Structures are given as C-alpha cells and as structure tokens.
Amino acid sequence: MGPERASGVGTRQRRERSPEEGLSPVQRRRWAMARRALMTVLSFSLVLGISLLLWAYVFRGCGPPPCKTPVCWDLLDHYLASGNTSVDPCTDFFSFACGKANRTSNSLQALKEENKRRLRRILEAPGAWPLAPGEEKAFQFYNSCMDTGAIEAAGAGPLRQVIEELGGWPLSGNWTPLDFNQTLSLLMSQYGHFPFFRAYLRPLPTPPHVPVIQIDQPEFDIPLKRKLEVKTYTQILREYLTYLNRLGTLLGGDPSKVQDHAFSSISITSRLFQFLSPLEQRWAQGKLFQMVTIDQLQEMAPVVDWLSCLQATFTPMSLSPSHPIAVHDLEYLKNMSQLVEKELSKDRASGSTPFLIVTQWQQHLEILSEGSKRRGFLQSHMILGLVGTLSPALDSKFQEAHRVLNQKLRELTDGPPLPTYPRWMMCVEESEAFFEPTLAALFAQETFGRSTQSAAMELFTVIKEALITRLQRLPWVDEETRKEALNKVAQVQVKMGAPEWALKPDLARQKYRDIQLQPSFLQSFLSCVRSRRARIIRSFLQPFPHHRWQVPPWGVNAYYSVSDHAVVFPAGLLQPPFFHPGYPRAVNFGAAGSIMAHEMLHILYQLCEYSGPLGGEAAGSPEDPKGGLEEEKGRLCEGSSIPWGLPGL
C-alpha cells in the first residue's frame, strides 16, 4: 500500500501545474497581461469602495441628514413663495432673498396675522377646551361681535342711550346739562374716553419703576403737526369737519346745527394742540414728567376736580389729596384748564386763534369764535370724541365714517394706504384685549408645548454661552468692564413663551364676574372696558415677584426689560417660519436665534448707558494707535441701535 500511496501522491503533484505550463511563449505573455489587468481592476474597485464608505461615514453619518419632514417641506414652500421670483437665485441670490417683487408685508407682520388666525380657531371652537365657569364669556363676546346682523339692526339706538346717560346734548333736543366734572368723570371711568388729557397707571420710566398714575397729553383724531403746509392743513380740517358732520347726522342731529357744533369742536381741538409741548423740547428741558400731588395739580389746573375724577377712574385704588402722580406736560394742563373755564363761562378767549392759517379762513375763525358763546358746544365736543372712541362697537355706518376719515388723512399726509381687515380680525383683537388671561393660557397650550419650550431654551442657552465666550476674548475691553459685562450676561433672566401663570392653566382661571354681557354689543363692549381697567389696576396693586410681561403670548415682539434685567421671547414669535423644534439647527439659529442675540446685545447697550463706553485699548497702526476701536465703542453706545458687526462678537 505504501508504494501505491506514494505513487498516488506523485500523481496529484503532477496534476497541480501552473496555468502557464503547457502554453507557448506567446500564450504565456498574453496570460501575464490579463492577470495584471485583472489585478488593476480589482485594486481600483477596492479603492473606490473604501472612498464611498468613507464619504458615507463623514458626510451622511456625521453630518446632518436632509430634512424631509412635513414641517421642512412647509418651510421650503414658504421660502419659495416669499422670494423674488423675477430673478434667478443661481445668478443673484441676494435679490431673490431680499427683493420686494412678491412681498406685500414683512415676515413679522405675516406671523402676527397668522397668530390672529390661531386665536380665531380657538375662539370658534369653545367645545375643544376645558373651561372654568365664567371663561365661556370670552367665546360669547366674540360671537356677539361677529353677529353683524344684530348690530346693524340696533343701529344708533345703543349709542343714543349712552348719550342720554351723559345728560344728552343740544343736537338731540333732549339735553339736561350735567356738571362738567360729573360728565368728565363718567366719560373717563365708565366709557374709557379722555377728551382733554390721558390718565393711566404705569411704572415710572426711571428707577425704582413703581406704578403710578400718569397724566399725559391727549390723543387727537387728526394728525396735527406744527410743520404742515397751509394747503394741507386746510384740507385736513375740511375732511375732519365732514367727518364730524357725518357723526352728528347719524345721531339724528339737524344738519344746520351740526355744522356749528362741528366747527366749535375743531376750534377746541386746534387750541388744545397749540398748548402741547413737543417731546424733544421737554426732553431738552429735563421735564419729561414732573411729580406732583393731586392737591398741587388742583391748584395749577383748577377746572378739573382731579381727586373725584381720578378716584372714579382708578377704583379700587384709595386716593387722597397728597397722593403723588406723574404729569408729562404741566404747562399744557394749565392752559387746558384756562380754555375749558372760558368755554364754561361763555367768555370769548381774548387773543386766541384756533389754528394758524391764512386770511381766507378768517370767516371760519369768526364762526368758531361766535360759537364759543353758545351753550352746549363743550358737551358736543366731548360727545363727538366719545363716538370716535366707541366706533369699533358701533354699526357699519359709524365705522365707515371713521375709515373714510383715516383714509383721507393718510392720503393728505402721504401715508400708506389704509389696510383693510376682515371683521373676524377686529373681533379677535377686542376679545384678546378683554379676555387676555383665558386666551393667553389657551394660546400657550395650543402653540407652545413642552418640546417647543425645551428647544427654545436650548437655543437661547447656546447663544448666551457663545456671547460669554466672545466677551472673554475681546481684546479692546479692560478687565473691570469685561467682568461687569460678563456678570450682566450671566445673570440675565429669560422669559420664554408666556408668563408663568399662563403656562399653568389653573393659575390663569378667571370668572369675569364683573363682565355683564348684554343683548346690545355696545353695552357688552363697555362692560368689558370697565372690567379690563379694574383688572389692570388690581394687578398693579398686588405684589408681583416676577417680571410683568409687556406683550401677550401671541405677540411677535421680543424685548429686553431694563428694570427686571430680563429678555422676553413670546410664544407668538417662536412659531414657523422663525422657529420649530423640527427645523434644522441652522434655520432656528438664523431666524429666532438672531433675534435672541439682538436682545442680548441690548444688555451691553445698557451697560454703556449707565457705566460709560466700554474701556480698554488695543494695538493698532502707528497712525491709529487704537485701531479705530474708539469709533466702534461709540457705535456700541449710541442711541438704541445695536450694531451687528462689532469686532469679535
């Protein structure tokens, strides 16, 4: 067997010959070339495969994948729709992104209107929300506002009832003159109308920012300015006269009598305007406001019973003659008091000219002067102003008269066309003003869930840390100022989405016991006006440990509060297309993140205002040893404009 096995082994060894054996020299050369070609192809394939794997690992595994979610597709559609399609983005991307061809409004305005639509959907679906007793009044008020059929059917009747409660007026034929201060007190406290001055409760603009009653200049229906051409001024007065005549006629007044009362109202408005001190003048004189007591103001402007009127308006505050108030234009109040006193005493105001116009209007001046001797013109002036204040709650005839006036005034002053809004938007705005606690909680619940809140806070934290890092590296800031700036940035409070009470529905519950909804929308409107004022006053009287939000949750304006050292970003801003948890990080940083960074830079501006310009020097050229940094520091600390191109930021 051994020889056989040996023989067999030898046979197998003989069979395992190389491919070249038995080939001719030419065939062997061809085989060698084919083998080299095959090896080359295999090597190239191996390199290509490794490269593809490396590309997939680096660019697809480590980098962000393309966003193909519905929110990203919606964002893409928004970008394409808002671009300037008259240019090719591949050749002129700046014009495509920043051009005006397709844009009728800016992005913030569009977002503001979208938030209105969100509120509309909330108000039109009351059954979708768990409501506490009393909160259903918000939805009932909205429905009453939308019921234009009932409002049109009531006509001017509800408004005439209000005028009767004020003692009537001469044009109605049923006039029982009330005491001037009694009428003024009713207008201020019950109807929210301030014909001769404005009064409101607000924190002082200077430390310690305590809330105080403030008396300010009145608001006029017409854009009176000191630098208007005579022709333009005359046209404005004519349009306003037409408007007042229209109001008097709608209220059933005799057209011949209405004309005289309208002229007299214009005369009073024009003389009041002449008494105003411009803001720039008061700023230069250091008299933005003056603190006086009610008793002192009574001596300087005696025609108004200040204690009685303010007490009625700011109930449940307890006022006394020694109570301090802030007066913004004391000289105006003194002159206003003298004018009203003369009107009440039927004396002609010696040397007074209702407005500064040329002689062709002298006949009108004479009519106005004669009118000041007739009874009831002061009452008519207050009633006509009240109609303008209440126009949102009146029928379409009054609203159309107000709209036409505003449109004409815009045309005469080269203003933009008056935008037209649907009825539902006006009703949403009135509802959000009167029922803010309820709607704030529902809006936050609908649009600012925990995932959105968490993502927004994460975005802000990254931006804040980046700002701290940049401040630490700035070469042109001395160490003392750097330390102060870092401390300010580190200690800033951030308020995200909505007030604390709105994020906790149980704290936002309101029963609105003082709101009485009536068949008449005007009466419901007035009840809401009184309730809102009382709610605001009560909120200021109660101790409040947190920041008082200056915008509602559906607002789109972020801001920095100096008094509370807090930056505020409402939920209405943190919505598509500015922010969404599902957006790529670059989108959120570029939109909402840029706004957050801007508000953080306001902290540095306040540091400049209160501590002086940022100090320190940096190396520069021999011709400019400070490297132009003084100019940059000046830019940082000038005005309220925060430069975006600061070196190192």
Side-chain angles (χ1 to χ4, degrees):
M1 290 182 66
E4 291 178 1
R5 283 195 292 270
S7 175
V9 171
T11 302
R12 287 194 295 271
Q13 289 175 344
R14 284 193 299 270
R15 289 175 183 169
E16 293 175 357
R17 296 180 304 172
S18 66
E20 292 91 343
E21 292 182 14
L23 298 176
S24 65
V26 174
Q27 291 175 326
R28 283 197 294 269
R29 284 196 299 272
R30 290 177 178 174
W31 170 251
M33 292 175 60
R35 185 172 58 184
R36 286 195 296 270
L38 180 61
M39 292 299 296
T40 301
V41 171
L42 291 175
S43 299
F44 178 78
S45 299
L46 181 63
V47 171
L48 179 61
I50 293 174
S51 300
L52 291 174
L53 288 174
L54 181 62
W55 179 86
Y57 174 77
V58 172
F59 294 101
R60 298 297 298 272
C62 296
C67 182
K68 297 182 179 180
T69 61
V71 294
C72 288
W73 287 118
D74 291 342
L75 179 65
L76 177 61
D77 292 340
H78 172 80
Y79 284 161
L80 293 176
S82 61
N84 182 4
T85 55
S86 64
V87 298
D88 183 1
C90 295
T91 58
D92 189 358
F93 185 78
F94 177 83
S95 296
F96 172 79
C98 303
K100 300 294 184 181
N102 293 349
R103 299 188 178 188
T104 57
S105 62
N106 59 47
S107 297
L108 282 176
Q109 179 62 28
L111 179 58
K112 181 179 179 181
E113 294 177 4
E114 177 58 30
N115 288 340
K116 300 290 185 188
R117 285 187 281 271
R118 292 187 176 102
L119 285 169
R120 179 191 184 185
R121 290 192 289 270
I122 291 174
L123 286 165
E124 293 183 351
W129 310 99
L131 302 176
E135 291 184 326
E136 74 281 353
K137 292 181 180 179
F139 301 87
Q140 294 170 359
F141 175 85
Y142 174 79
N143 291 333
S144 178
C145 180
M146 291 294 293
D147 189 359
T148 55
I151 296 174
E152 294 299 322
L159 181 58
R160 292 194 186 99
Q161 181 181 348
V162 169
I163 295 175
E164 293 300 321
E165 293 172 359
L166 293 168
W169 63 334
L171 294 178
S172 67
N174 182 22
W175 180 38
T176 304
L178 301 179
D179 174 74
F180 166 75
N181 277 289
Q182 184 180 356
T183 302
L184 182 61
S185 178
L186 287 173
L187 287 171
M188 294 169 57
S189 62
Q190 299 299 306
Y191 304 107
H193 179 56
F194 299 83
F196 302 106
F197 54 84
R198 285 183 296 144
Y200 49 83
L201 184 64
R202 193 174 298 172
L204 284 174
T206 57
H209 305 289
V210 295
V212 65
I213 295 175
Q214 303 187 37
I215 310 298
D216 208 342
Q217 297 174 343
E219 293 179 339
F220 299 113
D221 285 333
I222 51 178
L224 295 172
K225 297 180 181 178
R226 298 182 182 278
K227 296 182 180 180
L228 276 178
E229 295 182 2
V230 172
K231 181 179 179 181
T232 301
Y233 195 86
T234 302
Q235 291 175 327
I236 288 176
L237 293 178
R238 284 174 176 161
E239 294 296 339
Y240 191 51
L241 177 63
T242 301
Y243 166 71
L244 295 181
N245 284 333
R246 179 64 176 156
L247 295 186
T249 303
L250 289 174
L251 288 170
D254 183 348
S256 61
K257 294 181 179 179
V258 169
Q259 180 91 345
D260 290 343
H261 286 256
F263 267 125
S264 180
S265 182
I266 292 178
S267 172
I268 293 172
T269 299
S270 301
R271 281 178 283 175
L272 289 175
F273 172 73
Q274 297 299 324
F275 300 150
L276 298 179
S277 298
L279 178 63
E280 297 80 4
Q281 176 182 328
R282 290 185 284 125
W283 178 279
Q285 296 174 347
K287 295 182 178 179
L288 282 179
F289 66 91
Q290 297 171 258
M291 295 300 300
V292 299
T293 65
I294 294 179
D295 201 27
Q296 290 172 332
L297 183 58
Q298 189 66 56
E299 294 180 3
M300 292 181 282
V303 74
V304 177
D305 186 346
W306 292 100
L307 181 58
S308 175
C309 290
L310 295 179
Q311 182 65 79
T313 304
F314 294 100
T315 300
M317 291 182 68
S318 179
L319 304 181
S320 67
S322 60
H323 194 92
I325 58 177
V327 176
H328 287 256
D329 190 348
L330 187 56
E331 291 304 314
Y332 165 81
L333 294 180
K334 293 178 180 178
N335 290 321
M336 177 275 298
S337 179
Q338 295 176 8
L339 172 62
V340 173
E341 184 62 45
K342 291 176 181 178
E343 290 289 330
L344 291 173
S345 62
K346 309 296 185 299
D347 291 334
R348 173 176 292 189
S350 60
S352 65
T353 54
F355 26 76
L356 303 177
I357 51 182
V358 288
T359 37
Q360 62 257 37
W361 272 75
Q362 202 65 36
Q363 54 181 334
H364 291 162
L365 295 181
E366 294 174 1
I367 293 175
L368 297 173
S369 297
E370 288 297 323
S372 66
K373 296 190 293 185
R374 305 177 187 178
R375 298 185 63 198
F377 282 104
L378 196 62
Q379 178 84 350
S380 295
H381 173 73
M382 293 189 287
I383 294 297
L384 290 171
L386 174 64
V387 176
T389 299
L390 300 182
S391 62
L394 303 178
D395 65 41
S396 59
K397 299 182 182 65
F398 289 95
Q399 293 189 24
E400 178 64 12
H402 200 261
R403 189 198 66 80
V404 170
L405 171 67
N406 288 332
Q407 181 60 48
K408 292 289 187 180
L409 295 180
R410 283 174 178 250
E411 294 173 359
L412 292 173
T413 56
D414 297 325
L418 185 67
T420 57
Y421 296 109
R423 174 76 183 186
W424 68 261
M425 188 170 290
M426 187 202 76
C427 293
V428 165
E429 291 178 351
E430 299 298 344
S431 300
E432 70 187 32
F434 298 141
F435 299 93
E436 181 177 342
T438 296
L439 294 181
L442 296 180
F443 185 87
Q445 182 179 342
E446 172 76 6
T447 64
F448 201 67
R450 291 185 178 180
S451 61
T452 304
Q453 185 176 6
S454 176
M457 286 298 299
E458 180 183 355
L459 177 64
F460 176 80
T461 300
V462 173
I463 292 173
K464 177 181 175 181
E465 291 175 351
L467 178 58
I468 291 175
T469 301
R470 296 290 184 179
L471 286 173
Q472 290 172 338
R473 297 175 181 175
L474 284 181
W476 49 276
V477 180
D478 62 50
E479 289 305 316
E480 181 180 356
T481 305
R482 187 195 312 277
K483 182 178 179 181
E484 186 176 358
L486 288 171
N487 185 55
K488 280 280 189 181
V489 173
Q491 293 183 357
V492 68
Q493 303 178 65
V494 57
K495 305 296 181 181
M496 199 73 70
E500 287 82 353
W501 55 263
L503 297 175
K504 299 177 181 179
D506 290 340
L507 298 179
R509 298 298 188 191
Q510 292 282 334
K511 296 185 177 180
Y512 306 105
R513 290 191 179 94
D514 52 353
I515 291 181
Q516 304 297 325
L517 298 181
Q518 305 288 340
S520 163
F521 177 66
L522 176 59
Q523 291 297 333
S524 297
F525 178 87
L526 291 172
S527 180
C528 290
V529 168
R530 298 158 193 154
S531 173
R532 180 173 180 264
R533 183 190 306 111
R535 186 169 65 246
I536 293 174
I537 294 171
R538 287 195 300 268
S539 71
F540 276 116
L541 295 178
Q542 298 171 354
F544 199 78
H546 307 293
H547 169 72
R548 297 181 186 272
W549 280 55
Q550 303 302 312
V551 296
W554 48 81
V556 298
N557 295 322
Y559 66 93
Y560 167 65
S561 170
V562 179
S563 57
D564 294 329
H565 189 46
V567 285
V568 180
F569 306 100
L573 173 65
L574 301 172
Q575 303 296 321
F578 285 85
F579 182 82
H580 192 281
Y583 283 170
R585 285 167 58 88
V587 174
N588 286 334
F589 272 100
S594 64
I595 297 175
M596 292 179 179
H598 175 78
E599 297 306 324
M600 290 293 288
L601 289 180
H602 277 292
I603 300 174
L604 302 184
Y605 165 66
Q606 293 299 327
L607 188 66
C608 294
E609 182 175 358
Y610 293 115
S611 303
L614 297 179
E617 297 181 2
S621 65
E623 295 79 15
D624 185 8
K626 295 189 178 182
L629 295 177
E630 283 300 320
E631 179 181 355
E632 292 291 345
K633 289 183 283 186
R635 289 175 57 216
L636 177 62
C637 299
E638 67 180 1
S640 60
S641 177
I642 304 299
W644 287 85
L646 290 177
L649 286 178

